[in-house]
Amino acid sequence: MQYQRSSQLFVDAEKVIPGGVNSPVRAFKGVGGNPIFVKSAKGAYLYDEDGNKLIDFINSWGPMILGHAYPPVIEAITERAQLGTSFGMPTELETKIAELAVAMVPNIDKIRFVNSGTEACMSAIRLARGFTKRDKIVKFAGCYHGHSDSFLIQAGSGASTFGTPNSPGVTQGTAKDTLLATFNNIENVRALFEANKNEIAAIIVEPVAGNMGCIPPKYGFLEGLRQLCLDNGTLLIFDEVMTGFRLAKGGVQELYNIKADIVCFGKVIGGGLPVGAFASRNEIMNYLAPIGPVYQAGTLSGNPLAMAAGLTMLQSLNADDQIFKRLEEKSAYLEIGIRNILTKHKIDFTINRVGSMISVHFNANPVFDFDTAKKGDNVTFKKFFHGMLSEGIYIAPSAYETWFITDALTYEDLDFTINAIDKVAKKL
């Protein structure tokens, strides 16, 4: 495949956009080369500026669960745009999508819409601190909750050491209130609570991690977090920006039957437009302004285009009793195909999958946290990525990102993908 126009567009972009991209992972820094510029997308396919057709396995990092340019969503956006694109005032649409979301997701009474997953997680942390009147939070290495200062923290030495910033611009004052834990290690979290008694406002976690590749929770891990929070007056925040409305209608809370105190959403809930949300039970959500003391606001929050897209997407998912069964079956079919091919070619690998989220780690050992994810063979991954791209398959340009399966994929697409993996694996 040729990418001459994409390469030129990237040169042009670098002159006026930092690094030529508006989000770092798009820059192909993890795999080498220049990013692909997309011209259009439909169903399971991307069409780039050079005229190449690619089967898409990132799907805008998750929201295109029913495929690109899903006709009911496009129709809803188009109709709504004729009435105006933004008012900064309430609309009935906001109430309708809120009612539907509350009906679909367990353990929430109220929801507030924002403009991104980052904003949702940032607001959830502020709300948790305001509700508990505590300052510290626990986050997990390898879990990504957006680029708010509180989340850009790396580990210190020892379980009770304060975190330190891993991005310039994040102050030590902010970092000291973020405690870093190890995913899937409940004893590590317990030690943080012992060292910071009555100081921790919240634990925030991707209940199924997607930002160090797909990593499921070990049996008892989420249950352990739930109990620690109950025992210590701490709130449990599930960052379901990736998993919400994707792994089940009610997200991970439904999938694993674990109650969170606050849930953050993004991706699917916007139907492909910029939307985030956070939700909880009444006693917590009533701490938000204008009825409570915790301030949070946004001129474009709940804007009518995003609400129209999101409402249509949720209605489609809610009305289809077979959607998650189909996604599971297609994802399992792909997983089996990948396993058979990589095993045949004697390539070291581990596959992690939960529902329609799947990752291939080039590591023969189990991958269950950030440290084990980092032990993957990145040289092999880079070759694999570019080999798949040359075969017309687009996967995430990072070894630390999950693939997202869309219902628009046919079994012919999956067979094509498995055959492409066979061709690429012969050269690894």
Side-chain angles (χ1 to χ4, degrees):
M1 289 188 176
Q2 298 296 316
Y3 296 104
Q4 293 176 342
R5 178 155 173 76
S6 277
S7 296
Q8 183 56 54
L9 288 171
F10 184 55
V11 170
D12 296 341
E14 285 184 300
K15 297 174 183 176
V16 288
I17 300 173
V21 294
N22 282 308
S23 189
V25 74
R26 301 175 191 173
F28 278 32
K29 290 291 186 181
V31 293
N34 295 333
I36 307 303
F37 278 63
V38 178
K39 188 172 185 177
S40 65
K42 180 67 176 177
Y45 313 117
L46 301 170
Y47 301 89
D48 69 22
E49 289 284 355
D50 288 275
N52 300 308
K53 176 184 176 182
L54 303 168
I55 298 178
D56 184 14
F57 282 96
I58 66 166
N59 287 284
S60 192
W61 306 99
M64 304 309 180
I65 194 167
L66 299 177
H68 291 283
Y70 180 60
V73 169
I74 297 301
E75 182 179 343
I77 295 170
T78 303
E79 289 182 358
R80 190 68 218 187
Q82 302 299 320
L83 303 175
T85 57
S86 178
F87 312 120
M89 298 169 64
T91 66
E92 185 182 10
L93 272 173
E94 296 166 80
T95 304
K96 286 184 175 181
I97 188 173
E99 289 173 341
L100 182 53
V102 167
M104 292 175 71
V105 179
N107 310 313
I108 65 172
D109 298 316
K110 291 179 180 175
I111 186 168
R112 176 161 286 181
F113 293 98
V114 292
N115 297 294
S116 68
T118 291
E119 193 178 340
C121 293
M122 175 186 72
S123 301
I125 287 295
R126 183 183 302 155
L127 177 58
R129 284 171 165 157
F131 182 78
T132 62
K133 298 177 175 58
R134 298 175 179 177
D135 293 338
K136 293 180 182 178
I137 64 168
V138 174
K139 75 171 292 287
F140 294 89
C143 285
Y144 179 71
H145 308 290
H147 58 90
S148 177
D149 286 3
S150 294
F151 304 131
L152 296 180
I153 305 299
Q154 64 185 6
S157 57
S160 62
T161 305
F162 294 136
T164 56
N166 65 346
S167 172
V170 179
T171 67
Q172 291 288 346
T174 298
K176 73 178 179 62
D177 287 329
T178 299
L179 306 171
L180 199 77
T182 302
F183 192 76
N184 272 327
N185 187 333
I186 194 65
E187 292 306 317
N188 176 245
V189 184
R190 199 184 312 277
L192 289 175
F193 273 85
E194 287 295 322
N196 297 273
K197 288 185 180 295
N198 302 317
E199 294 184 83
I200 298 174
I203 296 174
I204 186 167
V205 63
E206 291 181 87
V208 173
N211 284 287
M212 43 185 155
C214 178
I215 299 184
K218 289 183 177 180
Y219 178 78
F221 177 62
L222 296 179
E223 293 85 348
L225 296 182
R226 176 66 279 174
Q227 193 60 50
L228 273 174
C229 287
L230 287 172
D231 293 344
N232 290 275
T234 297
L235 300 186
L236 178 60
I237 302 173
F238 276 4
D239 175 354
E240 294 220 47
V241 168
M242 285 186 175
T243 60
F245 306 102
R246 169 169 277 280
L247 297 186
K249 288 183 181 179
V252 171
Q253 288 192 102
E254 175 187 329
L255 188 65
Y256 293 134
N257 192 28
I258 304 290
K259 292 182 178 180
D261 294 302
I262 304 176
V263 189
C264 300
F265 301 107
K267 311 296 185 187
V268 175
I269 204 171
L273 271 66
V275 176
F278 59 106
S280 185
R281 58 186 183 270
N282 282 323
E283 64 174 315
I284 295 175
M285 293 303 282
N286 288 346
Y287 259 68
L288 282 174
I291 57 174
V294 176
Y295 192 75
Q296 182 277 326
T299 300
L300 290 177
S301 295
N303 78 84
L305 296 188
M307 294 294 93
L311 177 61
T312 303
M313 180 65 76
L314 294 193
Q315 287 173 333
S316 297
L317 295 176
N318 197 45
D320 188 344
D321 291 335
Q322 298 299 310
I323 175 64
F324 294 102
K325 181 175 183 289
R326 292 197 305 274
L327 285 167
E328 170 65 28
E329 290 171 348
K330 290 178 181 180
S331 302
Y333 184 87
L334 178 64
E335 178 186 358
I336 291 169
I338 298 172
R339 285 187 182 279
N340 290 340
I341 294 299
L342 296 183
T343 300
K344 181 178 76 171
H345 291 288
K346 299 180 180 180
I347 295 170
D348 288 339
F349 73 96
T350 292
I351 296 179
N352 286 344
R353 183 178 69 84
V354 179
S356 58
M357 295 169 60
I358 182 172
S359 289
V360 180
H361 301 269
F362 289 102
N363 181 348
N365 299 312
V367 176
F368 51 83
D369 61 15
F370 192 40
D371 283 342
T372 51
K374 289 189 293 186
K375 292 178 181 178
D377 184 345
N378 283 334
V379 173
T380 297
F381 177 80
K382 291 176 185 179
K383 293 178 182 177
F384 181 75
F385 171 83
H386 284 289
M388 293 295 282
L389 191 60
S390 69
E391 294 293 331
I393 311 293
Y394 191 74
I395 63 173
S398 166
Y400 302 115
E401 299 287 353
T402 185
W403 303 14
F404 293 100
I405 308 303
T406 171
D407 191 44
L409 284 163
T410 66
Y411 282 92
E412 289 77 14
D413 294 326
L414 297 175
D415 285 336
F416 183 91
T417 301
I418 293 166
N419 288 331
I421 292 172
D422 192 18
K423 294 177 184 177
V424 172
K426 289 177 182 178
K427 303 174 184 178
L428 292 179

